[in-house]
Amino acid sequence: MFYQVLKYFLLGPLLRLVFRPRIEGLEHIPEEGAAIIAGNHLSFADHFVMPAIVPRRVTFLAKAEYFTGPGLKGRLTAAFFRGVGQIPVDRSGGRASQAAISSGLAVLRKGRLLGIYPEGTRSHDGRLYKGRTGVASMAIQAGVPVVPCAMIGTFEAQPTGRRLPRAMRITIRFGAPLDFSRYAGMADERIALRAVTDEIMYAILTLSGQEYVDKYAGEAKAEAQAQARPHGRRGHGGGQAG
């Protein structure tokens, strides 16, 4: 009920007013049955804008930090994400990654739409980064199609660090479903997982027109943050020592 109220009466109409989304390829979303919608991730707003325009309900795997924040704000944020049907995912790797895949498979086995960002985190500079293979594992194990999706303009509307989005027009573009049935039974083979993931990322790249970087987004973001730190902090004022 909360999801329906948000989508059709509260958040949905507000998002359409702010972003005036141009929708392309909506016919590629299956009218029934399980499928994965795999998109680029440029903005916090992505979580809400795309599901607001897809006729069917989309369940996203959302980072666990959205559900564990401190204080009243943290509890309200967690309640909101649970209310719209998002599933918390631990992104620390290892067993946590397998738990995330299991959560996604549970959604797909119910015949629902699962939304996922293969990059694993938001792009800090608007470029498209290397995809992680969890999406491939789920697609192969569940035997479902993957619909590539490109969000265009949300980075400019609300880049990382901006609390409120700018009112501007964005585009949401869906591509033809990708069929990976030829990889059936190969969900444990690294080469197959990488091949499927790269095909998905190439489809997203074709739709979005972004610059591609063959590096994980989290690593690139950490490198950018390290380079942005003031240099010479340790030696400042100590040049005469020794």
Side-chain angles (χ1 to χ4, degrees), residues 152-201:
I152 302 170
T154 54
F155 181 79
E156 291 75 16
Q158 191 180 19
T160 301
R162 184 179 177 89
R163 301 189 67 178
L164 295 176
R166 299 182 180 93
M168 59 178 289
R169 190 163 201 183
I170 66 169
T171 297
I172 305 174
R173 186 174 293 152
F174 299 96
L178 303 173
D179 176 16
F180 297 109
S181 57
R182 63 191 183 278
Y183 291 98
M186 301 173 68
D188 294 326
E189 298 186 22
R190 288 188 177 184
I191 294 177
L193 292 176
R194 177 46 58 191
V196 170
T197 303
D198 288 347
E199 185 173 338
I200 293 170
M201 298 311 294

Coordinates of all heavy atoms in Angstrom, one line a residue, residues 152-201:
I152 N 20.1 9.2 -18.2 CA 20.8 10.3 -18.8 C 20.3 11.7 -18.2 O 19.2 12.0 -18.3 CB 20.6 10.3 -20.3 CG1 21.0 8.9 -20.9 CG2 21.3 11.4 -21.0 CD1 20.6 8.7 -22.3
G153 N 21.3 12.4 -17.6 CA 20.9 13.7 -17.0 C 20.8 13.7 -15.5 O 20.9 14.8 -14.9
T154 N 20.7 12.5 -14.9 CA 20.6 12.6 -13.4 C 21.9 13.0 -12.7 O 21.8 13.5 -11.6 CB 20.1 11.2 -12.9 OG1 21.0 10.2 -13.4 CG2 18.7 10.9 -13.4
F155 N 23.0 12.7 -13.4 CA 24.3 13.2 -12.8 C 24.3 14.7 -12.7 O 24.7 15.3 -11.7 CB 25.5 12.7 -13.6 CG 26.8 13.1 -13.0 CD1 27.3 12.4 -11.9 CD2 27.5 14.1 -13.5 CE1 28.6 12.8 -11.4 CE2 28.7 14.5 -13.0 CZ 29.3 13.8 -11.9
E156 N 23.9 15.3 -13.7 CA 23.8 16.8 -13.8 C 22.8 17.3 -12.8 O 22.9 18.4 -12.2 CB 23.6 17.3 -15.2 CG 24.7 17.1 -16.2 CD 24.8 15.7 -16.6 OE1 23.9 14.9 -16.4 OE2 25.9 15.3 -17.2
A157 N 21.7 16.6 -12.7 CA 20.6 17.0 -11.8 C 20.9 16.9 -10.3 O 20.6 17.8 -9.5 CB 19.3 16.2 -12.1
Q158 N 21.6 15.8 -10.0 CA 22.0 15.6 -8.6 C 23.2 14.7 -8.5 O 23.1 13.5 -8.2 CB 20.8 14.9 -7.8 CG 21.0 14.8 -6.3 CD 19.9 14.2 -5.6 OE1 19.1 13.4 -6.2 NE2 19.7 14.4 -4.3
P159 N 24.4 15.3 -8.7 CA 25.6 14.6 -8.5 C 25.9 14.2 -7.1 O 25.2 14.7 -6.2 CB 26.7 15.5 -9.0 CG 26.1 16.9 -8.8 CD 24.6 16.7 -9.0
T160 N 26.8 13.3 -6.8 CA 27.2 12.9 -5.5 C 27.5 14.1 -4.6 O 28.3 15.0 -5.1 CB 28.4 11.9 -5.5 OG1 28.0 10.8 -6.3 CG2 28.7 11.5 -4.1
G161 N 26.9 14.2 -3.5 CA 27.2 15.3 -2.6 C 26.1 16.4 -2.6 O 26.0 17.2 -1.7
R162 N 25.3 16.5 -3.7 CA 24.2 17.5 -3.7 C 23.0 16.9 -3.1 O 22.5 15.9 -3.4 CB 23.9 17.8 -5.2 CG 22.9 18.9 -5.3 CD 22.6 19.3 -6.8 NE 21.6 20.3 -6.9 CZ 21.8 21.6 -6.9 NH1 23.0 22.1 -6.8 NH2 20.8 22.5 -7.0
R163 N 22.4 17.6 -2.1 CA 21.3 17.1 -1.3 C 20.0 17.2 -2.0 O 19.2 16.3 -2.0 CB 21.2 17.9 0.0 CG 22.5 17.8 0.9 CD 22.3 18.4 2.2 NE 21.4 17.6 3.0 CZ 21.1 17.9 4.3 NH1 21.6 19.0 4.9 NH2 20.3 17.2 5.0
L164 N 19.8 18.3 -2.7 CA 18.5 18.4 -3.4 C 18.8 18.5 -4.9 O 19.7 19.2 -5.4 CB 17.8 19.7 -3.0 CG 17.3 19.7 -1.5 CD1 16.7 21.0 -1.2 CD2 16.3 18.6 -1.3
P165 N 18.0 17.8 -5.8 CA 18.2 17.8 -7.2 C 17.8 19.1 -7.9 O 16.9 19.9 -7.4 CB 17.3 16.7 -7.7 CG 16.2 16.6 -6.7 CD 16.8 17.0 -5.4
R166 N 18.4 19.4 -9.0 CA 18.0 20.6 -9.8 C 16.8 20.1 -10.6 O 16.7 19.0 -11.0 CB 19.2 21.0 -10.8 CG 20.4 21.4 -10.1 CD 21.4 21.8 -11.2 NE 22.7 22.3 -10.6 CZ 23.7 21.5 -10.4 NH1 23.7 20.2 -10.7 NH2 24.9 21.9 -9.8
A167 N 15.9 21.1 -10.9 CA 14.8 20.8 -11.8 C 15.3 20.9 -13.2 O 15.7 21.9 -13.7 CB 13.7 21.8 -11.5
M168 N 15.3 19.8 -13.9 CA 15.7 19.7 -15.3 C 15.2 18.4 -15.9 O 14.9 17.5 -15.2 CB 17.3 19.8 -15.4 CG 18.0 18.6 -14.6 SD 19.8 18.8 -14.8 CE 19.9 18.3 -16.6
R169 N 15.2 18.4 -17.2 CA 14.7 17.2 -17.9 C 15.8 16.2 -18.0 O 16.9 16.5 -18.3 CB 14.2 17.6 -19.3 CG 13.4 16.5 -20.0 CD 12.6 16.9 -21.2 NE 11.6 16.0 -21.5 CZ 10.7 16.1 -22.5 NH1 10.8 17.2 -23.3 NH2 9.8 15.2 -22.7
I170 N 15.4 14.9 -17.8 CA 16.3 13.8 -17.9 C 15.7 12.8 -18.9 O 14.5 12.9 -19.3 CB 16.5 13.1 -16.6 CG1 15.2 12.4 -16.1 CG2 17.0 14.0 -15.5 CD1 15.3 11.5 -14.9
T171 N 16.5 11.8 -19.3 CA 16.0 10.8 -20.2 C 16.3 9.4 -19.6 O 17.3 9.2 -19.0 CB 16.8 10.8 -21.6 OG1 16.5 12.1 -22.2 CG2 16.4 9.7 -22.5
I172 N 15.3 8.5 -19.7 CA 15.4 7.1 -19.2 C 15.3 6.2 -20.5 O 14.2 6.3 -21.1 CB 14.4 6.8 -18.2 CG1 14.5 7.8 -17.0 CG2 14.7 5.4 -17.6 CD1 13.4 7.6 -16.0
R173 N 16.3 5.5 -20.8 CA 16.3 4.7 -22.0 C 16.5 3.2 -21.7 O 17.4 2.8 -21.1 CB 17.4 5.2 -22.9 CG 17.5 4.7 -24.3 CD 18.6 5.4 -25.1 NE 18.2 6.8 -25.4 CZ 19.1 7.8 -25.6 NH1 20.4 7.5 -25.5 NH2 18.7 9.0 -25.8
F174 N 15.6 2.4 -22.2 CA 15.6 1.0 -22.1 C 16.0 0.3 -23.4 O 15.5 0.7 -24.4 CB 14.3 0.4 -21.6 CG 13.8 0.9 -20.2 CD1 13.0 2.0 -20.2 CD2 14.3 0.4 -19.1 CE1 12.5 2.5 -19.0 CE2 13.9 0.9 -17.8 CZ 13.0 2.0 -17.8
G175 N 16.9 -0.7 -23.3 CA 17.2 -1.4 -24.5 C 16.5 -2.8 -24.6 O 15.8 -3.2 -23.7
A176 N 16.7 -3.5 -25.7 CA 16.1 -4.8 -25.9 C 16.6 -5.8 -24.9 O 17.8 -5.7 -24.5 CB 16.4 -5.3 -27.3
P177 N 15.8 -6.7 -24.4 CA 16.2 -7.7 -23.4 C 17.4 -8.5 -23.9 O 17.4 -8.9 -25.1 CB 15.0 -8.5 -23.1 CG 13.8 -7.6 -23.5 CD 14.3 -6.8 -24.7
L178 N 18.3 -8.8 -23.0 CA 19.5 -9.7 -23.4 C 19.2 -11.1 -22.9 O 18.8 -11.3 -21.7 CB 20.7 -9.1 -22.7 CG 21.1 -7.6 -23.1 CD1 22.3 -7.2 -22.3 CD2 21.4 -7.5 -24.6
D179 N 19.4 -12.0 -23.8 CA 19.1 -13.5 -23.4 C 20.5 -14.2 -23.2 O 21.3 -14.2 -24.1 CB 18.4 -14.1 -24.6 CG 18.1 -15.6 -24.4 OD1 18.3 -16.1 -23.2 OD2 17.8 -16.3 -25.3
F180 N 20.6 -14.8 -22.0 CA 21.9 -15.4 -21.7 C 21.6 -16.9 -21.5 O 22.4 -17.6 -20.7 CB 22.5 -14.8 -20.5 CG 22.9 -13.4 -20.7 CD1 22.2 -12.3 -20.1 CD2 23.9 -13.1 -21.5 CE1 22.6 -11.0 -20.3 CE2 24.3 -11.7 -21.8 CZ 23.6 -10.7 -21.1
S181 N 20.6 -17.5 -22.1 CA 20.3 -18.9 -21.9 C 21.4 -19.8 -22.4 O 21.6 -20.9 -21.9 CB 19.0 -19.3 -22.6 OG 19.1 -19.0 -24.0
R182 N 22.3 -19.3 -23.3 CA 23.4 -20.1 -23.8 C 24.4 -20.4 -22.7 O 25.3 -21.2 -22.8 CB 24.0 -19.4 -25.0 CG 24.7 -18.1 -24.6 CD 25.1 -17.3 -25.9 NE 25.7 -16.1 -25.7 CZ 25.1 -14.9 -25.4 NH1 23.8 -14.9 -25.3 NH2 25.8 -13.8 -25.3
Y183 N 24.3 -19.6 -21.6 CA 25.3 -19.8 -20.5 C 24.7 -20.7 -19.3 O 25.3 -20.7 -18.3 CB 25.7 -18.5 -19.9 CG 26.6 -17.7 -20.8 CD1 26.0 -16.7 -21.6 CD2 27.9 -17.9 -20.9 CE1 26.8 -15.9 -22.5 CE2 28.7 -17.2 -21.8 CZ 28.2 -16.1 -22.6 OH 28.9 -15.4 -23.4
A184 N 23.6 -21.3 -19.6 CA 22.9 -22.2 -18.6 C 23.9 -23.2 -18.0 O 24.6 -23.8 -18.7 CB 21.7 -22.9 -19.2
G185 N 23.9 -23.2 -16.6 CA 24.8 -24.2 -15.9 C 26.2 -23.7 -15.8 O 27.1 -24.4 -15.3
M186 N 26.5 -22.4 -16.1 CA 27.8 -21.9 -16.1 C 28.0 -20.8 -15.0 O 28.9 -20.0 -15.1 CB 28.3 -21.4 -17.5 CG 28.2 -22.5 -18.5 SD 28.5 -21.9 -20.2 CE 30.2 -21.4 -20.1
A187 N 27.1 -20.7 -14.1 CA 27.1 -19.6 -13.1 C 28.3 -19.6 -12.2 O 28.5 -18.6 -11.5 CB 25.8 -19.7 -12.3
D188 N 29.0 -20.7 -12.2 CA 30.2 -20.8 -11.3 C 31.5 -20.6 -12.1 O 32.6 -20.7 -11.5 CB 30.3 -22.1 -10.6 CG 29.2 -22.3 -9.6 OD1 28.8 -21.3 -9.0 OD2 28.7 -23.4 -9.4
E189 N 31.4 -20.3 -13.4 CA 32.6 -20.2 -14.2 C 32.9 -18.7 -14.4 O 32.1 -17.9 -15.0 CB 32.4 -20.8 -15.6 CG 32.1 -22.3 -15.5 CD 32.1 -23.0 -16.8 OE1 32.6 -22.5 -17.8 OE2 31.5 -24.1 -16.9
R190 N 34.1 -18.3 -14.0 CA 34.5 -16.9 -14.0 C 34.4 -16.3 -15.4 O 34.0 -15.1 -15.6 CB 35.9 -16.7 -13.4 CG 35.9 -16.9 -11.9 CD 37.3 -16.5 -11.4 NE 37.4 -16.6 -9.9 CZ 38.5 -16.2 -9.2 NH1 39.5 -15.8 -9.9 NH2 38.4 -16.3 -7.9
I191 N 34.9 -17.0 -16.4 CA 34.9 -16.5 -17.7 C 33.5 -16.2 -18.2 O 33.3 -15.2 -18.9 CB 35.6 -17.5 -18.7 CG1 37.1 -17.6 -18.3 CG2 35.5 -17.1 -20.1 CD1 37.9 -18.6 -19.1
A192 N 32.6 -17.1 -17.9 CA 31.2 -16.9 -18.3 C 30.6 -15.7 -17.6 O 29.9 -14.8 -18.3 CB 30.4 -18.1 -18.0
L193 N 30.9 -15.5 -16.3 CA 30.3 -14.4 -15.6 C 30.9 -13.1 -16.1 O 30.1 -12.1 -16.3 CB 30.7 -14.6 -14.1 CG 30.0 -15.7 -13.4 CD1 30.5 -15.8 -11.9 CD2 28.5 -15.6 -13.3
R194 N 32.1 -13.0 -16.4 CA 32.7 -11.8 -16.9 C 32.2 -11.5 -18.3 O 31.9 -10.3 -18.7 CB 34.2 -11.9 -17.0 CG 35.0 -10.7 -17.5 CD 34.5 -9.4 -17.1 NE 34.5 -9.2 -15.6 CZ 34.0 -8.2 -15.0 NH1 33.3 -7.3 -15.6 NH2 34.0 -8.1 -13.7
A195 N 32.0 -12.5 -19.2 CA 31.5 -12.3 -20.5 C 30.1 -11.7 -20.5 O 29.7 -10.8 -21.2 CB 31.5 -13.6 -21.3
V196 N 29.2 -12.3 -19.6 CA 27.9 -11.8 -19.5 C 27.8 -10.4 -19.0 O 27.1 -9.5 -19.5 CB 27.0 -12.8 -18.6 CG1 25.7 -12.2 -18.2 CG2 26.8 -14.1 -19.3
T197 N 28.6 -10.2 -17.9 CA 28.7 -8.8 -17.3 C 29.1 -7.8 -18.3 O 28.5 -6.7 -18.4 CB 29.6 -8.8 -16.1 OG1 29.1 -9.8 -15.2 CG2 29.6 -7.4 -15.4
D198 N 30.2 -8.1 -19.1 CA 30.7 -7.1 -20.1 C 29.7 -6.9 -21.2 O 29.6 -5.8 -21.7 CB 32.0 -7.7 -20.7 CG 33.1 -7.6 -19.7 OD1 33.0 -6.9 -18.6 OD2 34.2 -8.2 -20.0
E199 N 28.9 -7.9 -21.5 CA 27.9 -7.7 -22.6 C 26.8 -6.8 -22.1 O 26.3 -5.9 -22.8 CB 27.3 -9.0 -23.0 CG 26.3 -8.9 -24.1 CD 25.8 -10.2 -24.6 OE1 26.5 -11.3 -24.5 OE2 24.7 -10.3 -25.3
I200 N 26.4 -6.9 -20.8 CA 25.4 -6.0 -20.2 C 25.9 -4.6 -20.1 O 25.2 -3.7 -20.5 CB 25.1 -6.5 -18.8 CG1 24.3 -7.9 -18.8 CG2 24.2 -5.5 -18.0 CD1 24.2 -8.6 -17.5
M201 N 27.2 -4.4 -19.7 CA 27.8 -3.1 -19.6 C 27.9 -2.4 -21.0 O 27.7 -1.2 -21.1 CB 29.1 -3.2 -18.9 CG 29.1 -3.7 -17.5 SD 27.8 -2.9 -16.4 CE 28.5 -1.2 -16.3

